[in-house]
Amino acid sequence: MKKTKLLSLAVTIGLMLTACGEPANVTGSTPGSTEEDTTPSSAAESTTQEESQEPENLPASQEYVSSDNTYKVTLLEGLTQTDMPLQAGSTMMALEGGSDRTGFSGISLGSSKTSVPGNPGDLESLSDYADYITDMILDGTGMTVSWEDTNAPAAEGAEQCLAREGVARSGVSRGLAYGYYVESADSYYSVVMIGNDDDVEEAKQILALEVLEGMAGQGGTKDFINGMTAVLDSVNGASVRETVKMLADMGADESQLEVLASQAQQSLSSSWGVESAADLTEMADWLMNEGHNQDALEFLGEYGGTDETDRDAFDTKLKEQNLDDGTYISLMAAYDAYAAYGEGAIAAWDLSRVGTIMGFGYAAGYCSYEEAMDKILEAAEKSQELYNSWEDFNKSYLYGYSYWAEESLDDAASSAAERAEMVNSMESQANGPFTIDWNMELKKEW
């Protein structure tokens, strides 16, 4: 598996992205609205070989730590590690053999169950996760593998471990493939290796994966920013900003970047009316200074909601006016947000999407990565000024989504309720996107 094949995975993820994450029933144009056959050794033979191998005769090993410090993989010494942060709660490492092991290449992924790259939806088992990851990695590579389950090494803190191996074929070439998959209470991890038989067999002897405990809150400004966009990034399956940056850093073909640029331009135009660098800056500034938050406050004021201190009384007043369901839901969401956060009512909904449109602006070629991150940093700083915690930010975000989508957070069948469930899940994760210190000092680190 060469680097160009790793790029196929990134493009597969990237092509699934949308600029605003509209609810399924919303179709309007309101702004914001990825030679010779041989058979692998049997599990019994592999186990016997590993047990008889003296420790001093094992291949030299090295630890490779994920960019978010949530897990580490022990594998062959001297591999070249390329970090690929896909979104909050989801990272990928490419581990290439280089000149010493030209036939070896691997990919390691770690993600919370709500942030699996590509957004496959609910995965019912570790086996489903393994199927999904291997299909995604091999898609577009021209390579096929006939997988068979084999004995899986134990991993500390894991609820389940699974291992598969098989012969990898691409045209007349062949090699050995091995996949290792781990499930914890709230996350999935995987290591998939393909190469010549000797390299993969040696790698299997020393392979280990460890979930790193006690890393919650230990992140930087980029991690804080990723937390702000965590929900929509999870809906999309990846952060378009980080996906395109990764592709550029890895030397993607211009044609690959042009495909993403075209899609980003189309999304910005149709969802936001943004068609140039100037439009992008103007829209980002509108979100930070006015946005749907200002619209919600003015709309609420028209119905006396900013002066009403009794929620039940306001609710009764609205019901007496026989409003349509969408208007009623939006007004009650605006009321609850204003009661909780005053002038910052649903501003988190706007501020989170500064990260989204600037990411798409970078992908579209309307700004540089640095310019995008600088603008998102401004939104992050304003978020800290308006809210006291991730909990407050997320509640404001959800009120904003409810207002915009005209969907009740209490309606279990709505996309608003789905967003709320995603937030609840992320908030409960030991190393989730919202474990970053809300009051951390934000600074430019790019």
Side-chain angles (χ1 to χ4, degrees):
M1 187 186 300
K2 299 187 183 299
K3 186 170 290 188
T4 54
K5 294 170 182 173
L6 298 179
L7 293 178
S8 297
L9 171 59
V11 171
T12 297
I13 294 170
L15 293 179
M16 301 176 69
L17 302 177
T18 58
C20 59
E22 294 184 35
N25 62 340
V26 174
T27 57
S29 58
T30 301
S33 12
T34 189
E35 311 164 346
E36 183 178 343
D37 291 351
T38 61
T39 303
S41 301
S42 69
E45 291 174 339
S46 176
T47 302
T48 301
Q49 290 172 356
E50 291 176 13
E51 290 177 349
S52 63
Q53 184 84 45
E54 293 296 328
E56 60 267 25
N57 293 329
L58 290 175
S61 64
Q62 181 176 333
E63 293 180 346
Y64 301 89
V65 181
S66 65
S67 60
D68 61 357
N69 294 311
T70 57
Y71 74 101
K72 66 180 179 181
V73 174
T74 300
L75 214 53
L76 298 167
E77 183 179 55
L79 301 180
T80 299
Q81 176 179 343
T82 302
D83 293 308
M84 296 176 273
L86 300 173
Q87 64 195 74
S90 180
T91 59
M92 181 165 62
M93 291 187 285
L95 299 168
E96 299 286 337
S99 58
D100 293 335
R101 295 182 183 272
T102 55
F104 182 89
S105 185
I107 290 179
S108 174
L109 296 101
S111 70
S112 66
K113 290 180 178 178
T114 57
S115 300
V116 177
N119 188 19
D122 292 334
L123 298 170
E124 296 183 358
S125 67
L126 183 59
S127 179
D128 287 345
Y129 170 76
D131 291 341
Y132 171 75
I133 289 298
T134 51
D135 286 348
M136 185 171 65
I137 288 175
L138 295 176
D139 183 48
T141 66
M143 184 179 297
T144 60
V145 179
S146 298
W147 297 101
E148 293 183 0
D149 289 351
T150 186
N151 289 347
E156 185 175 353
E159 292 187 346
Q160 291 189 75
C161 298
L162 174 68
R164 293 174 176 174
E165 62 183 1
V167 175
R169 304 180 186 280
S170 179
V172 297
S173 301
R174 61 157 303 284
L176 191 61
Y178 182 83
Y180 179 54
Y181 313 92
V182 173
E183 179 180 6
S184 68
D186 57 18
S187 300
Y188 288 121
Y189 306 90
S190 57
V191 181
V192 180
M193 308 177 292
I194 298 177
N196 64 56
D197 293 10
D198 290 343
D199 287 341
V200 174
E201 288 292 354
E202 287 189 356
K204 286 167 53 181
Q205 294 178 45
I206 57 174
L207 172 64
L209 189 149
E210 180 182 348
V211 179
L212 300 178
E213 301 294 341
M215 299 306 296
Q218 298 185 25
T221 300
K222 287 184 69 173
D223 297 293
F224 187 98
I225 286 171
N226 288 339
M228 292 176 61
T229 60
V231 176
L232 184 53
D233 287 346
S234 183
V235 171
N236 282 329
S239 162
V240 66
R241 181 186 69 248
E242 296 304 326
T243 298
V244 173
K245 180 67 163 58
M246 174 184 67
L247 286 166
D249 289 347
M250 292 178 66
D253 293 338
E254 285 299 320
S255 59
Q256 293 174 316
L257 295 176
E258 287 173 359
V259 168
L260 291 179
S262 177
Q263 289 191 330
Q265 290 167 6
Q266 182 177 357
S267 292
L268 287 171
S269 177
S270 61
S271 297
W272 295 87
V274 169
E275 298 184 356
S276 67
D279 288 346
L280 179 67
T281 300
E282 182 179 355
M283 182 59 70
D285 289 340
W286 177 77
L287 285 171
M288 286 195 288
N289 299 313
E290 299 179 36
H292 289 93
N293 184 58
Q294 188 63 38
D295 291 342
L297 293 176
E298 292 176 358
F299 190 38
L300 185 63
E302 291 175 10
Y303 286 82
T306 53
D307 299 321
E308 180 60 68
T309 58
D310 187 313
R311 187 181 192 278
D312 290 339
F314 183 63
D315 181 50
T316 300
K317 183 191 300 184
L318 293 184
K319 288 178 177 176
E320 290 174 347
Q321 298 181 54
N322 295 318
L323 302 172
D324 65 85
D325 289 346
T327 299
Y328 168 78
I329 290 171
S330 289
L331 284 167
M332 289 306 300
Y335 179 89
D336 289 337
Y338 180 72
Y341 306 115
E343 294 299 315
I346 65 168
W349 167 245
D350 295 318
L351 294 169
S352 71
R353 293 181 304 150
V354 173
T356 298
I357 68 161
M358 294 308 299
F360 273 78
Y362 164 59
Y366 296 154
C367 66
S368 67
Y369 180 80
E370 182 178 13
E371 289 169 336
M373 293 299 292
D374 287 349
K375 183 62 74 173
I376 302 169
L377 177 57
E378 292 181 37
E381 292 170 337
K382 184 162 186 177
S383 297
Q384 285 185 328
E385 294 173 2
L386 290 174
Y387 309 103
N388 295 319
S389 65
W390 281 111
E391 181 181 5
D392 288 340
F393 180 86
N394 289 333
K395 284 183 178 179
S396 172
Y397 171 90
L398 290 172
Y399 284 138
Y401 186 87
S402 177
Y403 170 83
W404 171 75
E406 299 185 343
E407 294 184 358
S408 172
L409 295 168
D410 296 325
D411 178 4
S414 70
S415 61
E418 290 179 4
R419 296 278 175 119
E421 180 58 33
M422 291 177 66
V423 168
N424 290 335
S425 177
M426 291 179 181
E427 287 179 335
S428 68
Q429 292 162 9
N431 285 320
F434 307 131
T435 57
I436 302 299
D437 180 11
W438 176 261
N439 296 309
M440 69 175 292
E441 180 186 358
L442 298 175
K443 53 187 178 182
K444 185 169 178 173
E445 57 183 35
W446 43 84

